[in-house]
Structures are given as C-alpha cells and as structure tokens.
Amino acid sequence: MTFFRKMFSCVPWQSEMNQAEMSHTCRGTISLHGALIHTVDSCTFVISNGGTQSFHIKTANEVERQSWVTALELAKAKAIRAMESEEDEETETAHAVPSEELNVVLKEIAIRLENLRTCYDLITKHGAALQRALSDLETPGDDIAIKTKTVNERATLFRITSNAMINVCTEYLKTAENQGQKWSKMLQQERGHRQRLEEMVEQLAKQQRHLEQQAHRIIPNVASSTSDDEDNEFYDAQSTTSPTFVSPQIDDSFILKYQNRSCFIDRTGSSSETEGDELNNKSEINSTEVKQVTKSVTVIPEEEKSVSEIVETMDETDRVILGNGRFGKKSSTLRQRRTAVPNKPNYPLNLWSIMKNCIGKELSKIPMPVNFNEPLSMLQRLTEDYEYANLLDIAAKCTDPCEQLAYVAAFTISSYSTTANRTGKPFNPLLGETYECDRTDDLGWRVIAEQVSHHPPMAAIHCEGNEWTCWQEFTMTSKFRGKYLQITPLGSSNVEFPASGNKYTWRKVTTTVQNIIVGKLWVDHTGEMEILGANKASGIKCHLTYIPYSYFSRDAQRRVKGLIMNEKNEAKWVLNGIWDNKIEIAPVISTSGSENSPVYKTGSYNIIWSRRLPPPNSEKSYNFTVLASQLNEPEEGVAPTDSRKRPDQRLMEEAKWDLSNKEKVRLEEKQRTKRREREAEAEKAAKEGRPYPPYEPIWFKKQQDDNTENLVHVYKGDYWESKKRNDWSKCPDIF
C-alpha cells in the first residue's frame, strides 16, 4: 500500500501523504483521476497516464490482481467525484459575484434584521408588562387570583416573543454563516486572482523592458546600415560555443541543430561554419510558382516514376486513386460535397471573462460555452491531419526508406498547416462518440475515430489508404498560464507501409495559443519531434525542430527543419520549410567537419509539399478549409454515435447558439448520469465480491505495442462491416 501511495497523486490519498512522502516519489506520479487501468493477464495489470508513463504491476495470483484493479477503479471514481465537487463549488463561488445575487442576499439579510428589531421591540414591551404584573402581585390585596392570571398572561406573551426572537436569531445566524463562507471563498479567490494578475502585469512590464532594451540595441545598427542592409543578420541569443562567421559567398545555406550538435548545410558545394539556428535570408522558401509535389533526386524505376508523375499532376481536392487497390474498383462519378459552412454569427465574445477564473486548470475542465467553439468535434479535427495524405501515397512508392521517411516527415508537418489562425475550440467528444470519414472515392483513404476514454479524455483514430495504414492515440495535458494557453499532446502516431514492412512512430509537439488577454489570438508550435523507424525501417530516424516565434528574427517565422539519418547514424536527407506554407528536402551528398559540428553538402532542393490556400472569405466561416467544411456535412448510413448527429454541434453550425448551449448542458449531464450509474454498479459489485468489468470501447481494443511495449488502442476491424450490414446494435445511446 505504501508503494501505491507514492505512485499515485490521487485526491483521496494525497491528503494522507506528507511532504517527505511526496518527495520520495522516485518513479514519478500518475494522477489517479486521469489514470488508465488495464489488465494484461491473470496476474499483471498496467496503470498509465495515456502517454509518457506506464507502471506494470504483478500480483501473486488472479484474486489479488482483481482486488487491486477493483480497489483502484473505485478510488479513481471517488477521485473524479471529489474533483468535480470541488470544481462545482468553485463554479458556484465564482458566479456568486454578480450584482443580482448580491442584491438578493442583501435583501434577505435586511429582512432578517427587521425581524430582529421587531422581536426586540416586542420582547421589551412584554418584558416591561411582566415586570409590572409581578410588582402588582407583591402588593397586598384581595384580588390575588386576578393578579396571578395577569402574570401568567404576561409570562406567556413574553415566552412566545422570546421563542420568536430565538428563531429569528437562528435564521439570521444561518444566513450569515452560509453567506460568510461563500464570501470568504470569494475573497480568497479574488486575492488569488489579483495576485496572479499582479504577477502577470509585472511579467509583462519586464518583457516590455526587455523588448525596449533589444530595440535600443538593434536601432543603431539599422541607422548605420547601408544599401546592402539585407546582408546583415540579427540573432536572438548568443551561442555557447566559440563564435564563428557566415561566409558572404554562400547564398543557399542554413544551420541545423541535431541533438545538441550544430551542422552546416551547404547547397552549393562550398563549406563554411556559422553559429545559432538562423536561416540565411536568401534561402527562404518564397517561390509562388512551384509544383505541389516534385520528384526528389533519388532515381526510381521507370514504372514507379510514371505513377509519381500521375500523382503530381492530380488536383488533390478531387483526386481519384486509380486501380482496384485495397478498397476495390472506384466509381467514376464523385459525390458533390459542399465547399463551405454557414457564416459565423457576429456575436461579441470576451474570452478573458471566462479564462480569468481558470488560470492553472486543465483545458478539458474549463466550462466553455459553444460561443468559443467551432462546429467540429475533436474527432473531426484529428481527421484533418489526413488532408495531405497524398504524401503517404508517394512515400509508399519510395524504395529508399530514408527518402520515404522524408515524405512521412512532411506529412507530419502538414497536419499543422491550418492551425495558425484556427483559434476555435473543438467540441469535446462524449464517451463512445465516433466519427467516420470515407473518402476512398476521391482522396483514397477512410477514417474511423472513437472517444475511448473520458478520464483522461482520449481519442483513437485509424486511417487506411491504398498502400498504407495510419493510426494514432490522442490525449493531452493543458494549462492556462495567464497570457497563453499551452497544450502538450501525449499520445503517439504511427504509419505502416505493408508492401515494404516499414513502420514509423512519432509524437506531436507542444501547441501554444497566444494573446489570451489582449490582441488577436494566434497559434504557435514549438519543440523537438523524433520520427523513429521500426520493423524493417528499424534504426533510421528523423529529427525535426519547430522553431519558436521570435519578434526580432529577420528570418521567416514558423520555421521547421530536420535531418534524416540511416541506421548507421549517417545523414541522408535534410528538410527545411515553414509549417503552414511549404516544405523542401535535399539529399546529403557528403559530410565533413568534426563530430560535434558536422558540415553537410547537399544536392538541389525540391519542394515536396505546399499548402492549399483556404477559400475566399474563410475568416467568416471559422477559417475552415474545403476539407474541414465537408467533415460535418450530414450523411446517411453513419453510426448513431457519429459526431455529425450530435445536436449541440449541429445547432451551432446552424448559428442557433442559445439552443446549442442548452443542448450541450443536457448532453454533459446525461454523460455524468451514465458514469454515476456505472460507478454505483462497480461499488455494488465490490461489496458483493464479484468483478465488475470497466468501460470498453466499441470499435477499438487495448493491446501492447510490439515496439514500445506500451498499451495502445488499436482498431478491431469490424466497423465498416457493421456499416455494410447496417448493424449498430453495439452503439450506446449518447445523444
């Protein structure tokens, strides 16, 4: 038990752990309310956070294993309830500030005070009358009975008034205590918010001062520049290595950092050294008249070459995969699909009014109205990753695995192409919600996605092309940091080419939404991504660097660059581009220089991907591309759990936002009710000593990955067959 106390930072146990125990968590911690608990065999079970951490626990026998799993599931349910009750309490407290509720409270207290004054006047009056009656009783006389009766009457009135006074005092005390607790919490929250805002203002002031200092440094250089000012370079930071210089004779070169090593890429054959991560201005990818996909310098057989040329000349919006392929012969007539969604209503929105109370919280736990959403679910948003799946079609034709990996790398980058100005939040899928997208007739692929877990929120996606299969598990952690919102994906993505047996795996980089408080929202992607080969491609890898946005860089923003190495750790290809514009690759001809600072001589660069521009006036319709506009288009024959049948999402697309918000609340409460029913059944089963199976996805199952040994959700393979039979008996009622 001590081991599990150290391993899980759950709500019920955390209160029992002192600081010494918390500092002893040598294996790390997993939040219990977001843990995934899975049985492997009769004596082994696994706990993971859906991404980076997994604990494999082995028990003595099956009974002990089942006892642990049941106890952990019940503790997880208790942790979730505790977390939600705290959030509900915070929400109630946060909404206690409006003047209407304050007026009601003040009016109630005023009534209580008036009642107290009335009771005070009455008790004073009847108390004085009782005193007079008692004084008369002490006076000698014959009318003792009358005086006694008068005393009894005055005493009765005094007692009634006293009881009324006690009742009114009790009511006033209860009101004061209830409101006092609420106001105390409000005061604490306001103090915390004020402190965080003060810290943010201080941080902004420091950043402004830093920017001004940087500007003062740069301005003199600009003032003294001559007509050849474009040859000057401005650097964000000094390198920790010894200073080197860029040769002015080199026109097309850039610096690439790979695993803390600086390497100089020379396109022209000459060699020189430089420092930092700056790209020479003359190497910027700014050509506007290039092919959508161009052939690389690697020679391929004539038969494969002709296929590549066919793919290049196709318009990808209505491209038809030729031949029978995996999906059989395709129809020559294509379905006419819509190219836009209804325009977004011009409602005034204030994101800060909601986000200011959510600093430090998980994004999935922020109660957001649909006004800040876009009419797509997260399942549909993840399907957009395959808009440029033609890169995988070309990769399947490559005979060189390193060249193949170059196209796979371009595909991973293309998934970010529409995100720069897409600031709307997708709908959080309900547990059991699914989404299918069958584009085999025109784009040559089909997708099935499902929300497989609610705590933590996790989606599983499976996509099939003619000559490749791609699948991924998506979960994330997110924090609102005041100025920006940071999203860190945890799941992994995979693609496999059955013909060659090559498989590649990668994880997505960190996404940051900037200007939450003031200014226009914009998105940046930063970090390192490694694409690792497996199976027959084992040993080869691609290292990509997403360079953060910099105010002072004269280089193009949103840069990404990478290096592809074979199983002998030899550089074979370099990659360079802008993640929302274009990507180009070049083969490495030779390598020179030291091990820590290699110099790569490359061949000619070819652009293998460029983004299709969105439709005109797309900013009025959520900045959707043509593919994004088609994802929520109504379609017959889909599962009853499909995102296109979700009522709040459909109402939002139709600009009925008030009704959509009401439907959203209803669906979320329905989901909570079903979860409580499952928890009650689990508790009942635990009391009776019988196992209770946890929730299982409909179209996916958990199994161990052969290469990483992590538990992942994989497609069972029966969705499309069920669709042919129109058999949706497995689908739950979630809408």
Side-chain angles (χ1 to χ4, degrees), residues 423-473:
T423 55
K425 175 182 175 293
F427 279 79
N428 293 329
L430 303 173
L431 184 63
E433 185 174 335
T434 61
Y435 178 68
E436 69 158 80
C437 184
D438 190 349
R439 302 299 295 265
T440 54
D441 283 337
D442 54 352
L443 301 181
W445 50 263
R446 65 185 183 186
V447 164
I448 172 64
E450 180 182 358
Q451 187 76 358
V452 295
S453 172
H454 184 61
H455 285 287
M458 178 181 290
I461 305 99
H462 181 87
C463 185
E464 300 172 343
N466 262 322
E467 298 176 276
W468 50 268
T469 301
C470 191
W471 67 98
Q472 67 170 304
E473 219 178 38

Side-chain angles (χ1 to χ4, degrees), residues 69-247:
V69 171
T70 303
L72 288 170
E73 288 287 358
L74 292 176
K76 176 181 176 180
K78 188 181 295 184
I80 293 171
R81 285 199 299 269
M83 179 186 65
E84 290 183 345
S85 63
E86 288 178 359
E87 290 172 358
D88 293 341
E89 193 173 326
E90 287 180 3
T91 303
E92 291 176 2
T93 304
H95 291 116
V97 180
S99 58
E100 293 181 0
E101 184 172 349
L102 189 60
N103 290 334
V104 171
V105 172
L106 292 175
K107 186 177 180 180
E108 183 180 357
I109 291 177
I111 292 172
R112 303 284 186 228
L113 284 173
E114 186 63 31
N115 291 339
L116 279 174
R117 291 193 188 97
T118 303
C119 289
Y120 173 78
D121 294 337
L122 288 174
I123 205 169
T124 302
K125 176 183 176 182
H126 293 305
L130 180 60
Q131 287 288 347
R132 289 194 299 270
L134 289 173
S135 298
D136 292 339
L137 186 61
E138 294 175 357
T139 304
D142 296 331
D143 52 350
I144 299 297
I146 296 174
K147 292 180 179 179
T148 303
K149 182 179 179 182
T150 302
V151 169
N152 289 335
E153 289 175 352
R154 302 300 182 191
T156 301
L157 290 173
F158 185 83
R159 186 177 65 252
I160 293 172
T161 309
S162 299
N163 290 335
M165 185 73 168
I166 292 171
N167 292 335
V168 172
C169 288
T170 302
E171 291 175 356
Y172 182 84
L173 181 62
K174 289 181 179 178
T175 303
E177 286 178 345
N178 292 337
Q179 297 303 323
Q181 290 177 358
K182 184 180 293 186
W183 288 345
S184 177
K185 291 180 180 178
M186 287 168 50
L187 181 60
Q188 291 176 0
Q189 279 196 337
E190 289 299 321
R191 284 177 178 171
H193 292 162
R194 186 180 67 180
Q195 184 178 357
R196 285 190 286 267
L197 286 172
E198 288 174 352
E199 292 173 354
M200 284 190 291
V201 171
E202 183 179 359
Q203 184 180 6
L204 287 171
K206 290 180 179 178
Q207 290 179 349
Q208 182 180 0
R209 182 176 177 81
H210 177 70
L211 291 174
E212 290 173 351
Q213 291 174 348
Q214 292 289 339
H216 287 314
R217 293 175 188 172
I218 294 174
I219 289 173
N221 295 333
V222 176
S224 61
S225 62
T226 58
S227 60
D228 59 349
D229 177 67
E230 294 181 357
D231 293 332
N232 294 333
E233 291 289 339
F234 295 91
Y235 295 90
D236 293 332
Q238 296 296 325
S239 174
T240 56
T241 59
S242 58
T244 53
F245 303 89
V246 180
S247 173

